[in-house]
Amino acid sequence: MSKTEIWLIRHGETDWNAEQRLQGWRDIPLNDSGKAQAKSVQRFLEQQRIAFDAVLSSDLQRAIQTAEIAFECTPESIICLPQLRERNYGIYEGHPWQSLTQLPDQPEPEINLRNPDLVVPEGESLLTFNQRIITAFNDIAVQRPNQKLAVIAHGGVIEMVWRYIQKADLSTPRPYKILNASVNHFVIDQQRHWHEIAWAQTDHIQTANEGL
């Protein structure tokens, strides 16, 4: 049975991450911490001795820069896919995410971006975003059977993949944080069944910023 094995990696930190601002499709570069985190991904994957068939990335620069550092490759060798972009938050991009998301034990804000049915002006609903990401990975698996792939993307992308694997609906609280430069490993088989192998691997990040 053919399968596609994927290591899904969140990009390194940006200044907007540090400021807890929604980035979405805004093309924000890595900061120094983010570059160090990308280097920590390189060390982690070298220890795994994985022979990747290809490196895929969102076409936003924070993901591309992470790929360039983690895999010591040129932009030309990275397969950039706009389908792997973060959710488009439309008019809310640049705003503090905590004011637009329902937090544990807090009342629901007037605008709650976690509401699957919320229409986002100039952006994507959570439901539309989820459908985009599931379709993107199923297409990748069909196009690249029996390959080992590194995919650099975004926190929202990782969350949609986790929800699909776990069969968790879009309203179920997520029990863990999605850290910058975290590594997530899963498989899609030829029947389009998704299987988790190792999730939220973060030990390599702890020493990422030493010497900064």
Side-chain angles (χ1 to χ4, degrees), residues 17-30:
N17 284 143
E19 296 164 7
Q20 299 187 331
R21 297 167 67 187
L22 284 170
Q23 293 180 105
W25 286 15
R26 297 288 184 92
D27 206 8
I28 312 299
L30 297 182

Side-chain angles (χ1 to χ4, degrees), residues 108-169:
E108 183 172 355
E110 182 177 351
I111 301 296
N112 178 16
L113 291 172
R114 294 228 170 249
N115 179 349
D117 300 316
L118 178 71
V119 176
V120 177
E122 301 176 23
E124 291 177 295
S125 70
L126 186 57
L127 183 60
T128 298
F129 172 55
N130 177 70
Q131 292 170 338
R132 167 164 66 85
I133 297 307
I134 303 313
T135 298
F137 279 99
N138 277 328
D139 289 348
I140 288 168
V142 169
Q143 295 161 8
R144 296 179 174 275
N146 296 316
Q147 290 193 11
K148 294 182 177 181
L149 306 174
V151 178
I152 297 82
H154 307 271
V157 174
I158 294 169
E159 177 170 355
M160 295 304 101
V161 172
W162 173 81
R163 289 185 181 281
Y164 193 76
I165 292 172
Q166 299 297 328
K167 298 180 172 58
D169 65 40

